[in-house]
Amino acid sequence: MRLSYTYTKIASYLGYVVQAIACSFLPLIFVALQNTYNISYEKLGRLILVCFVTQIFVDLISIKLVKYFGYRKLAVAAQVFAAVGFASLSFLSKVLPVYTAITISVIIYSIGSGLIEVIVSPIVEYLPTKNKSGNMALLHSFFCWGNVFIVVATTLMIKFLGEGNWQIIALIWTIIPVIVLVLFLFVPIIEPEESKRTPIKSLVYQPAFFVMLIIMFLSGASEITVGNWMSAFAEQSLHLPKLLGDLVGPCLFSVCMGLGRVIFSFIGDKAQMKKVLLCFAVFTSIAYLILALSNNTVISLIAGVLVGFGVSVMWPGSLSLSASRFPTGATSMFAVLAMFGDLGCSFGPWMAGIVADNYNLNIAFLTAGIFPILMVVILIFMNRKKEIK
């Protein structure tokens, strides 16, 4: 029986759930790691840096990997690395120092995560469907719904199993990449023709594409900085219990981000993407400032959650804008865009961790507010130009 493209979409959606585990699980146990092993803010932030630096390396080499192996084999390999990485969190610390074990595990599952973000977006982009921008936004919304699921499930498991059993929880999360692995073995996938691909050297020298790379960096930094530190902020700066802090902090953050992407999926190609990105960047900048400067717990939480809505369209919107402007960019384009997005994702949380060690998380968020503000400035100029539609 031949499977339809609907199953390809399902496999791709679940692929982003796997990436959500890779990005979201570890920050949820930051406080447990601090309490049990006395790991500093900077070292915790460094783990996020390691995660995204690994993904950046994968982004760089994936251009060649796709040429030799194709989308299907790499999609399967991504799930293998993710499953092994999650599993190693559960047992590697028994034979190595804890921080070393966690770092190695992060590197392994980050290889899988990096392959997912490079492979899955073009797999969906090249399906014979309409409303490309809407489909891209809906695809990336599953990263958000994955976050919600991971936050709720992990928080509840910590509540009932105890934070000392975080290794068991990590082992449980290996189930999802194994399921996705099986799906990618059988779903139909369209491989772009090599002759129709635009060489990456032709792209990087175009000013419009270079601007998109900067926007991807700022998008990643704006999104992940609050997303990764929201749990610790709710617990330690706002003094909320672990369960409540996670549910109303990073969980609602992801809900808002997912809703923003689902709402935009209905608009899709009807919208002028440059104007949409500018509006969301302004919204995000305001939410960052309120989050950092407010002395009211409720207002700070609401602002942090609304950052999720503000950043919702930034990453998929940037990918869609680039795909429409450079339709033959193929994997090389998505890989370089992902690399710059990951650079932002790695630098933002790490910088916030350094600032928090020297001051506090409020000052860290205030400093990180420069990312969406710079994006606003760039998009104002972009909206005055005609090069990028």
Side-chain angles (χ1 to χ4, degrees):
M1 182 182 71
R2 179 179 174 82
L3 297 177
S4 68
Y5 290 121
T6 299
Y7 289 95
T8 308
K9 290 183 179 181
I10 292 173
S12 300
Y13 296 156
L14 291 177
Y16 269 101
V17 174
V18 173
Q19 190 182 40
I21 302 173
C23 294
S24 302
F25 173 68
L26 201 61
L28 291 171
I29 61 171
F30 273 175
V31 174
L33 295 176
Q34 280 186 320
N35 293 339
T36 307
Y37 307 109
N38 195 31
I39 300 176
S40 69
Y41 278 119
E42 190 278 330
K43 282 190 173 182
L44 292 174
R46 198 189 307 168
L47 290 173
I48 305 301
L49 178 66
V50 168
C51 174
F52 287 105
V53 166
T54 302
Q55 291 187 184
I56 290 167
F57 173 75
V58 174
D59 296 339
L60 285 171
I61 66 172
S62 62
I63 299 172
K64 295 293 184 182
L65 292 177
V66 170
K67 180 179 179 180
Y68 290 107
F69 297 104
Y71 286 162
R72 187 183 305 279
K73 290 180 181 179
L74 291 183
V76 171
Q79 308 312 315
V80 172
F81 278 107
V84 172
F86 298 152
S88 66
L89 277 174
S90 67
F91 64 81
L92 206 56
S93 60
K94 300 182 186 301
V95 296
L96 292 173
V98 172
Y99 191 78
T100 301
I102 294 174
T103 302
I104 293 173
S105 299
V106 167
I107 291 172
I108 295 172
Y109 69 64
S110 296
I111 293 173
S113 180
L115 287 172
I116 288 169
E117 72 176 354
V118 171
I119 298 301
V120 172
S121 289
I123 285 176
V124 173
E125 177 69 23
Y126 294 120
L127 292 180
T129 57
K130 298 180 180 179
N131 189 22
K132 297 290 188 180
S133 296
N135 287 335
M136 189 65 70
L138 183 61
L139 169 67
H140 284 261
S141 75
F142 276 83
F143 176 80
C144 309
W145 304 131
N147 270 329
V148 174
F149 176 62
I150 301 310
V151 169
V152 173
T154 300
T155 302
L156 291 175
M157 284 189 279
I158 290 174
K159 175 70 175 178
F160 293 107
L161 297 178
E163 65 179 23
N165 288 315
W166 59 269
Q167 293 100 330
I168 297 176
I169 301 172
L171 186 61
I172 292 173
W173 289 131
T174 62
I175 298 172
I176 297 180
V178 171
I179 294 172
V180 182
L181 185 158
V182 175
L183 284 173
F184 271 123
L185 285 172
F186 300 103
V187 298
I189 294 175
I190 296 177
E191 302 275 354
E193 297 178 26
E194 185 68 30
S195 60
K196 295 182 178 180
R197 297 177 182 178
T198 300
I200 190 61
K201 292 181 180 179
S202 300
L203 290 175
V204 295
Y205 288 113
Q206 298 192 42
F209 186 68
F210 185 74
V211 171
M212 294 310 306
L213 296 180
I214 297 174
I215 289 180
M216 283 298 296
F217 175 90
L218 297 173
S219 298
S222 299
E223 175 183 326
I224 298 296
T225 300
V226 172
N228 278 171
W229 285 111
M230 197 62 186
S231 178
F233 178 71
E235 287 185 64
Q236 299 185 345
S237 295
L238 303 181
H239 308 294
L240 294 177
K242 170 69 177 173
L243 180 61
L244 180 61
D246 284 349
L247 292 179
V248 302
C251 185
L252 288 181
F253 175 92
S254 295
V255 168
C256 280
M257 188 159 65
L259 285 175
R261 289 174 176 177
V262 170
I263 291 170
F264 183 75
S265 72
F266 291 102
I267 303 172
D269 294 338
K270 299 176 184 178
Q272 295 185 33
M273 187 58 71
K274 289 191 295 183
K275 292 182 178 179
V276 171
L277 288 172
L278 176 59
C279 291
F280 277 82
V282 170
F283 185 94
T284 303
S285 300
I286 296 172
Y288 254 94
L289 293 176
I290 295 173
L291 169 64
L293 299 175
S294 176
N295 293 321
N296 185 287
T297 300
V298 175
I299 293 176
S300 293
L301 276 174
I302 292 173
V305 166
L306 290 178
V307 168
F309 184 82
V311 300
S312 62
V313 179
M314 289 181 178
W315 189 293
S318 299
L319 292 177
S320 294
L321 185 58
S322 299
S324 63
R325 177 64 175 80
F326 307 101
T328 58
T331 308
S332 59
M333 179 186 69
F334 282 98
V336 176
L337 287 168
M339 181 186 71
F340 273 76
D342 285 339
L343 281 170
C345 289
S346 59
F347 180 76
W350 179 59
M351 182 200 72
I354 293 174
V355 175
D357 270 338
N358 289 279
Y359 300 96
N360 55 52
L361 282 170
N362 291 79
I363 301 299
F365 287 143
L366 182 62
T367 305
I370 190 65
F371 300 129
I373 291 172
L374 284 174
M375 193 169 176
V376 169
V377 174
I378 293 172
L379 286 166
I380 287 174
F381 285 99
M382 282 181 62
N383 276 277
R384 293 178 178 177
K385 301 292 183 179
K386 302 298 182 183
E387 288 85 9
I388 304 179
K389 296 181 180 180

